[in-house]
Amino acid sequence: MIGSELDAAGVHDQALREAYQRCRTINAKHGRTFFLATRLLSPAQRPAVHALYGFARRADDVLDEFDSRTTAQRADELQGLATSLFTRLVENQPSGDDPTLDAVVHTARKYNLDWQLFDDFLASMRMDLTVTDYPDRAALDHYMYGSAEVIGLQLLPVLGTVVPREEAAPYAAALGKAFQLTNFLRDINEDLTRGRVYLPADELASHGVDRDVLTWCQQTRRTDPRLRAALAEQHALTRRIYTHAERGIALLHPRSRPCIMAALTLYSEILDRIEEIEFAVFAQRATVSSARRLQVASVGFVRALRARARHQEV
């Protein structure tokens, strides 16, 4: 299957094909919902999406893998990744042996992705080395622009639009933000274990929640009523961002709409699960069942086939 995708994408060099295969494997292993949604794209689109995901995951693993590396070592590794990408993409010089970079550079050139998008992403990744709390919404939004919104902006040329790209860009960025806010709500326990809180401190404080309250909730695996109220507020805000982002799906190329609609549906249903468990996020992880993922994917697959047929694609 990957061979036919690469053929459709015009990737024939064997080393580059292996690089894209590496990225696809990373996506399949770590991004179950996202990988499932990418199956709804046309074969020609999939390798680029896998490459962009592979790079993002490569940077994320530097920061979040539980091992013995110090902060300084992680900083050096992240800087090395940034330097290698800059050397290849901007200076057009070979740098090191990293298949994920080979694929992402090829994708960036094919779709004319600006270096600034990658630089902004890496800037937010560097923040994770030292920043553990966000005092207000503006500070968190600054982080999320680089860590989530630029991902949507990177994917937009791959997805294609029926309007000028800049008209669709705010919606693509909003969807990236909605996905990440969903992760913040679902993974609050895991993030706290890493010493991080990805919710605005002033908004938590308005409900009487601080680090001590969060720590108590984690230790007891219970959700304090004050935290439940704070999470409900964050939940409602994230819902509104999904509603806004969904308006942008009609601006995408028809062949891409089933994929993005499926991803939006499945990620937003994580919010349903969080609400169903009454925000008991320290006791269990809110997930969408495999059966539901397959159901959404099946509907999306039929829609994707119809869209490709209308546009004479395979």
Side-chain angles (χ1 to χ4, degrees), residues 118-131:
F118 295 98
D119 196 37
D120 289 338
F121 169 75
L122 290 163
S124 285
M125 295 303 97
R126 291 187 191 96
M127 290 174 66
D128 274 332
L129 292 167
T130 56
V131 179

Side-chain angles (χ1 to χ4, degrees), residues 55-174:
F55 176 74
R57 186 69 200 191
R58 172 76 176 79
D60 194 58
D61 284 348
V62 173
L63 300 164
D64 287 345
E65 282 189 349
F66 287 106
D67 55 34
S68 60
R69 286 175 297 174
T70 65
T71 297
Q73 288 171 328
R74 294 175 192 269
D76 287 343
E77 189 173 344
L78 191 61
Q79 183 57 48
L81 183 66
T83 300
S84 292
L85 180 61
F86 181 84
T87 300
R88 296 182 189 205
L89 182 57
V90 180
E91 298 182 342
N92 200 27
Q93 298 292 326
S95 177
D97 180 20
D98 189 331
T100 59
L101 291 187
D102 292 337
V104 78
V105 167
H106 182 265
T107 290
R109 288 176 178 156
K110 179 177 181 178
Y111 290 97
N112 196 28
L113 301 181
D114 195 278
W115 159 252
Q116 190 62 50
L117 293 174
F118 295 98
D119 196 37
D120 289 338
F121 169 75
L122 290 163
S124 285
M125 295 303 97
R126 291 187 191 96
M127 290 174 66
D128 274 332
L129 292 167
T130 56
V131 179
T132 58
D133 298 86
Y134 294 85
D136 51 36
R137 179 65 54 182
L140 184 62
D141 281 345
H142 175 70
Y143 169 79
M144 285 193 297
Y145 174 76
S147 63
E149 293 185 38
V150 298
I151 304 299
L153 297 176
Q154 287 174 349
L155 288 173
L156 195 55
V158 182
L159 299 174
T161 61
V162 295
V163 296
R165 191 182 302 172
E166 59 270 20
E167 187 176 333
Y171 299 99

Side-chain angles (χ1 to χ4, degrees), residues 10-307:
V11 180
H12 304 296
D13 177 80
Q14 186 56 39
L16 192 56
R17 288 170 74 92
E18 291 174 2
Y20 273 106
Q21 174 66 66
R22 179 79 63 88
C23 293
R24 184 183 188 276
T25 299
I26 291 171
N27 192 353
K29 179 180 179 181
H30 296 287
R32 292 186 304 168
T33 297
F34 186 69
F35 180 77
L36 185 63
T38 63
R39 304 299 301 156
L40 306 183
L41 293 172
S42 70
Q45 293 173 292
R46 295 172 201 162
V49 176
H50 295 321
L52 293 170
Y53 180 90
F55 176 74
R57 186 69 200 191
R58 172 76 176 79
D60 194 58
D61 284 348
V62 173
L63 300 164
D64 287 345
E65 282 189 349
F66 287 106
D67 55 34
S68 60
R69 286 175 297 174
T70 65
T71 297
Q73 288 171 328
R74 294 175 192 269
D76 287 343
E77 189 173 344
L78 191 61
Q79 183 57 48
L81 183 66
T83 300
S84 292
L85 180 61
F86 181 84
T87 300
R88 296 182 189 205
L89 182 57
V90 180
E91 298 182 342
N92 200 27
Q93 298 292 326
S95 177
D97 180 20
D98 189 331
T100 59
L101 291 187
D102 292 337
V104 78
V105 167
H106 182 265
T107 290
R109 288 176 178 156
K110 179 177 181 178
Y111 290 97
N112 196 28
L113 301 181
D114 195 278
W115 159 252
Q116 190 62 50
L117 293 174
F118 295 98
D119 196 37
D120 289 338
F121 169 75
L122 290 163
S124 285
M125 295 303 97
R126 291 187 191 96
M127 290 174 66
D128 274 332
L129 292 167
T130 56
V131 179
T132 58
D133 298 86
Y134 294 85
D136 51 36
R137 179 65 54 182
L140 184 62
D141 281 345
H142 175 70
Y143 169 79
M144 285 193 297
Y145 174 76
S147 63
E149 293 185 38
V150 298
I151 304 299
L153 297 176
Q154 287 174 349
L155 288 173
L156 195 55
V158 182
L159 299 174
T161 61
V162 295
V163 296
R165 191 182 302 172
E166 59 270 20
E167 187 176 333
Y171 299 99
L175 188 58
K177 177 187 282 191
F179 287 167
Q180 187 164 64
L181 286 171
T182 302
N183 288 340
F184 290 163
L185 289 170
R186 181 193 61 191
D187 299 336
I188 187 170
N189 183 39
E190 182 179 331
D191 291 333
L192 189 60
T193 299
R194 293 189 171 97
R196 304 175 193 152
V197 177
Y198 290 109
L199 298 173
D202 61 342
E203 295 176 23
L204 293 179
S206 69
H207 294 277
V209 176
D210 57 16
R211 276 259 181 178
D212 289 339
V213 172
L214 292 172
T215 300
W216 179 89
C217 291
Q218 184 177 56
Q219 291 174 344
T220 62
R221 302 187 67 194
R222 296 170 60 186
T223 301
D224 182 283
R226 293 169 293 178
L227 178 59
R228 184 173 290 108
L231 294 180
E233 181 178 74
Q234 300 298 317
H235 184 280
L237 181 148
T238 306
R239 280 280 186 215
R240 290 195 294 273
I241 296 175
Y242 273 114
T243 298
H244 172 71
E246 187 173 357
R247 299 182 190 128
I249 292 179
L251 306 183
L252 299 176
H253 190 287
R255 68 178 180 176
S256 298
R257 293 171 193 168
C259 167
I260 303 307
M261 191 68 237
L264 184 150
T265 298
L266 291 174
Y267 261 91
S268 65
E269 286 188 9
I270 295 174
L271 292 182
D272 294 340
R273 304 291 90 77
I274 291 172
E275 192 170 32
E276 286 170 4
I277 64 175
E278 298 182 338
F279 300 97
V281 289
F282 288 100
Q284 56 186 298
R285 194 169 192 264
T287 60
V288 177
S289 70
S290 296
R292 176 56 179 162
R293 288 202 302 270
L294 289 174
Q295 180 186 37
V296 171
S298 296
V299 172
F301 184 67
V302 172
R303 291 174 177 168
L305 288 179
R306 289 173 179 168

